[in-house]
Amino acid sequence: MWQHNRGRWDLNEARIAEETYATFVHDDRTVAAYKINGYERVSDPGPKATKIALIGEPLTSADPLYDLLVDQPAIHRGRNAINYVADPESEGSSESVAGHRAFLLTWNPDNWDWADYHECVLTTQEGHTVDGRWSTGSRRTGIRRGDRVFLLRQGTRGRGLIGSGEAVDFADPSGVHDEIIYTGAHWDNNGATANYVDVLWDRLVEPDDMLPTDQLQKEFPTQTWTPKASGTEIKPDVVADLQARWSEHVGHTRPPGGGQRRLVDAARRKSIEDAAQNWLMEHYRDEGWVVRDTRYDGPYDAVATKGRQTLYLEAKGTQSHGDAVFLTRGEVEHARRHRGNCVIGIWSGMRFTSGGIVDQEAGEVLIMPFDPDTGTLTALQYRWDLGDSDVV
């Protein structure tokens, strides 16, 4: 069936890059479902000379989406034989396991100069987030609060992943799971409009430290790494491994500069943070959870899953008594959006041995639900936008 029906179709290439599955319909019911791995252009006797044929493989009954896609009433709008519809959600999909979907946002420095990019890199290296908005290309729907976004640099100055963040809605931060893409003046000031999503960038790296496109293509060949436009959804079976790969990559990028004292302090601080996180992750693994490390690229340190349960883990290590710990804006906002699914582990009274390593026997540990509004949050830093202030 696949070979006879995979093409020739008059399809939009940008839309294909956003699609994960194809279904075939007969008598208003879906009779087969296939996973899309790509597409190719094939000759056609019509006026366009070529059309598109899909490349893919059939879903089996073992796939968690099979029963949701096959032998179901067809969703069909209008007279066109081709319709684009949202993917169904299942207990085994990437949405339920990892919490959210993920998307590629693209940036071509040849077309738009991010003037303070270097300062934003330093901000995220220090554990803070950077507010922004980004074009979603032709995508008008499908991105929701909490979805992960990855920034893909394109153009003539090098191609690869250069940042990651979380989709948010600055205008309505209290909403949950509704559409958050909006329209605004086009970013190149051409008088047109563009589609945007608000983003909290939690990690940006220097161009020399990006994860190259050719490496991504080699490690994740089923994903399109040369999208025609911003807003392409990352395939569900790629999301978890990509996030782990990105976290590993940014963990090896260069730290911000500074004097010898600052480097020593930074190294000790990192040792404390790593020891606290390793302890917390190991605790949940011992309890039978599957734990994935996300410490370098997200507003939480790890994700723990067991069956249908998902917990977001936040680890804090301190040499103090642990009565108070420092939180980033991203950590607080994520915990507020996921109340009841966040846990914080605090290792207080940490000490170093004479050999300069963390003493595993020193201090006390505490694991508790992470709800930042049950305690007292104190603002320690503000960002001031000058706006139209007069300069004297």
Side-chain angles (χ1 to χ4, degrees), residues 87-389:
D87 292 341
E89 297 176 6
S90 74
E91 295 175 8
S93 69
S94 64
E95 173 104 10
S96 62
V97 174
H100 297 278
R101 296 182 297 170
F103 296 83
L104 287 176
L105 303 180
T106 59
W107 173 37
N108 188 338
D110 297 332
N111 298 332
W112 183 73
D113 179 35
W114 190 338
D116 63 343
Y117 183 77
H118 178 68
E119 288 73 18
C120 292
V121 170
L122 295 178
T123 297
T124 62
Q125 283 179 331
E126 293 172 354
H128 304 292
T129 56
V130 173
D131 296 359
R133 73 170 186 174
W134 209 265
S135 169
T136 61
S138 61
R139 178 179 286 278
R140 296 186 177 91
T141 63
I143 300 180
R144 301 183 297 184
R145 288 176 180 81
D147 284 345
R148 295 294 292 162
V149 295
F150 291 88
L151 186 60
L152 185 66
R153 179 181 166 114
Q154 298 185 301
T156 61
R157 306 185 212 177
R159 296 168 177 262
L161 280 188
I162 201 167
S164 62
E166 183 174 342
V168 296
D169 185 357
F170 296 134
D172 182 21
S174 61
V176 179
H177 292 321
D178 55 338
E179 298 292 347
I180 59 175
I181 295 176
Y182 60 94
T183 302
H186 202 282
W187 50 267
D188 68 357
N189 299 315
N190 62 5
T193 60
N195 302 314
Y196 293 99
V197 65
D198 293 331
V199 178
L200 279 179
W201 298 111
D202 47 51
R203 192 58 195 263
L204 300 166
V205 301
E206 296 290 357
D208 289 343
D209 293 327
M210 67 183 170
L211 185 55
T213 297
D214 56 358
Q215 185 65 33
L216 291 165
Q217 190 64 56
K218 185 182 302 181
E219 297 185 29
F220 307 101
T222 62
Q223 178 65 40
T224 299
W225 296 107
T226 54
K228 301 293 185 182
S230 194
T232 298
E233 182 176 359
I234 298 173
K235 294 183 181 297
D237 59 347
V238 171
V239 174
D241 290 339
L242 174 62
Q243 184 154 318
R245 179 67 178 91
W246 173 246
S247 182
E248 175 190 21
H249 176 77
V250 298
H252 290 91
T253 57
R254 297 187 303 272
Q260 183 63 31
R261 179 69 255 167
R262 181 176 177 180
L263 291 175
V264 172
D265 289 345
R268 290 172 67 89
R269 183 165 62 251
K270 186 176 187 304
S271 294
I272 288 175
E273 293 171 353
D274 287 348
Q277 171 148 357
N278 291 338
W279 152 71
L280 185 60
M281 291 194 303
E282 196 60 33
H283 169 84
Y284 277 90
R285 286 181 179 130
D286 290 343
E287 295 293 323
W289 295 73
V290 176
V291 181
R292 180 164 51 84
D293 187 342
T294 60
R295 77 183 79 186
Y296 295 115
D297 71 314
Y300 45 88
D301 290 326
V303 180
T305 57
K306 181 191 289 187
R308 298 175 62 182
Q309 294 178 278
T310 297
L311 290 179
Y312 300 99
L313 309 184
E314 186 63 43
K316 297 295 178 182
T318 176
Q319 293 180 280
S320 71
H321 294 298
D323 296 332
V325 293
F326 292 98
L327 302 171
T328 67
R329 172 180 172 178
E331 291 167 350
V332 170
E333 293 188 351
H334 180 268
R336 284 172 168 165
R337 286 193 298 274
H338 300 274
R339 292 186 199 275
N341 294 319
C342 297
V343 171
I344 189 167
I346 302 172
W347 184 352
S348 60
M350 299 180 72
R351 297 291 182 266
F352 286 88
T353 67
S354 58
I357 62 175
V358 173
D359 185 348
Q360 299 293 323
E361 303 300 323
E364 297 181 353
V365 295
L366 172 67
I367 298 176
M368 60 186 292
F370 181 23
D371 182 352
D373 293 319
T374 59
T376 301
L377 286 172
T378 303
L380 300 179
Q381 189 179 38
Y382 293 91
R383 170 178 167 175
W384 181 39
D385 291 316
L386 277 64
D388 297 326
S389 301

Side-chain angles (χ1 to χ4, degrees), residues 11-64:
L11 300 173
N12 182 301
E13 293 186 57
R15 286 300 304 268
I16 296 173
E18 299 175 359
E19 300 303 317
T20 308
Y21 304 99
T23 58
F24 296 149
V25 176
H26 179 68
D27 287 341
D28 292 326
R29 296 191 74 83
T30 57
V31 295
Y34 297 82
K35 179 182 175 184
I36 300 174
N37 295 329
Y39 66 90
E40 60 184 343
R41 285 207 166 268
V42 296
S43 61
D44 185 78
K48 291 189 176 182
T50 65
K51 286 189 177 181
I52 288 176
L54 298 175
I55 300 172
E57 56 188 303
L59 293 188
T60 68
S61 58
D63 191 289

